[in-house]
Structures are given as structure tokens and as C-alpha cells.
Amino acid sequence: MDKNRMGQSNPLNIRWMLVMYDLIIYAIVAGTMLVLYEGMDKLSTKGILQQVCLSVLCIFSARLVGKIYEQVWRYGGIQCYILLLFTDSVAFIIYLCLELLLPVQKITFARMLSLVSLNLLGALTLRMMYRYAYKCGNMETVKGKLLLIYKL
């Protein structure tokens, strides 16, 4: 019998789905921190694109090098969450250095830290919700059925 028919998903598909979820979280955070926020360092369209490219490059490269997307999150424990925290911390340091060195439109340190931190918070929340949905999703209760939708 085919694995997908038995209710098991292909690990490669789950990994790419997780990357897509992380990109969605990033888009929401970046939209909030770079586009909607109008502080003293308001960015032009070119500046927004520069910051988005730089931050996406740093965050997702660090996660790929740190093998974040190779983990099986439904079985992960605190070690997985700490590894994600560590890789995003490294990504922030690289992002900060590159932003200072490259000729891009600058943003404040606080805004940059908020962008990376809120993205990390969203990624951690997503993983914890997935793990909870995997453990508690079933067809017996309404809550369990809703959680099964999240697992897909």
C-alpha cells in the first residue's frame, strides 16, 4: 500500500511545506516591520527590497546550514528549538555585519532585531503547534479534527 494512502506524508514534502510556512511567517513579519512601520528610518521601495533580500538570505541560509529543515519536528524536543534559536542568532549576527558592510539603505538595530526575533518567534510557534497537532489530532473530537487539518 502507498505511504500517502496510509496517512504518512513524504518527509521531503513536509520539509518543503515547513520552508513555505516559514516564508509565509517571514512575509508577514517583514511586511509589518519593513513596509507598515513608519519610524524615523522609513525605507524606500528599493531599501525594502534590499533589506528583504539580505535578511531572507541570512535567515534561510543559516537554517539550511544548521539543518533545521532536516529535523522531524513532531518528535523534536527542546534540542531542536535551541538549535533553531542558535541558527537564527547566527543569522542575525551575519545580517547585522552584512547590513553594515554593504551599500544598502540602513535600518535601526532595534528594527533589525525585531525583524529576526519576531520571525524566530513565529517559526517556534509554528513548530510547537505542529507538534501539538500531531500528538492531539484525532477523529474522535471536534478539537482533534481541527488539529488534523493543521497537520496536513
Side-chain angles (χ1 to χ4, degrees):
M1 187 175 237
D2 177 89
K3 277 187 181 181
N4 290 331
R5 288 185 184 172
M6 292 173 35
Q8 298 174 352
S9 298
N10 182 354
L12 186 60
N13 289 341
I14 291 173
R15 289 180 187 134
W16 283 112
M17 282 177 45
L18 193 54
V19 171
M20 292 305 301
Y21 289 149
D22 282 351
L23 284 171
I24 291 169
I25 289 170
Y26 175 82
I28 293 168
V29 170
T32 304
M33 296 306 301
L34 298 174
V35 178
L36 296 179
Y37 176 76
E38 295 189 13
M40 294 186 312
D41 59 340
K42 183 161 173 45
L43 295 171
S44 65
T45 304
K46 181 181 177 184
I48 292 170
L49 289 174
Q50 290 171 339
Q51 289 295 329
V52 165
C53 291
L54 195 57
S55 57
V56 163
L57 176 73
C58 293
I59 292 169
F60 287 93
S61 294
R63 288 181 183 178
L64 289 172
V65 169
K67 299 183 180 178
I68 295 299
Y69 298 111
E70 292 180 18
Q71 299 173 354
V72 181
W73 283 95
R74 70 180 75 150
Y75 303 119
I78 192 73
Q79 304 89 346
C80 296
Y81 301 122
I82 290 173
L83 182 60
L84 181 60
L85 175 66
F86 178 74
T87 57
D88 278 19
S89 298
V90 169
F92 172 70
I93 293 168
I94 294 169
Y95 177 33
L96 178 63
C97 293
L98 287 175
E99 204 253 357
L100 292 172
L101 294 172
L102 295 175
V104 296
Q105 194 173 352
K106 308 295 186 213
I107 59 174
T108 61
F109 177 83
R111 194 170 175 186
M112 188 183 301
L113 181 62
S114 296
L115 175 68
V116 175
S117 298
L118 288 173
N119 186 54
L120 172 64
L121 181 63
L124 286 170
T125 302
L126 177 77
R127 284 153 176 80
M128 288 179 192
M129 287 174 52
Y130 179 79
R131 187 164 183 223
Y132 181 75
Y134 186 78
K135 289 177 80 173
C136 300
N138 59 46
M139 294 302 287
E140 296 171 14
T141 64
V142 173
K143 179 182 172 185
K145 291 176 185 176
L146 290 173
L147 288 172
L148 281 177
I149 293 170
Y150 181 74
K151 276 179 32 177
L152 300 176

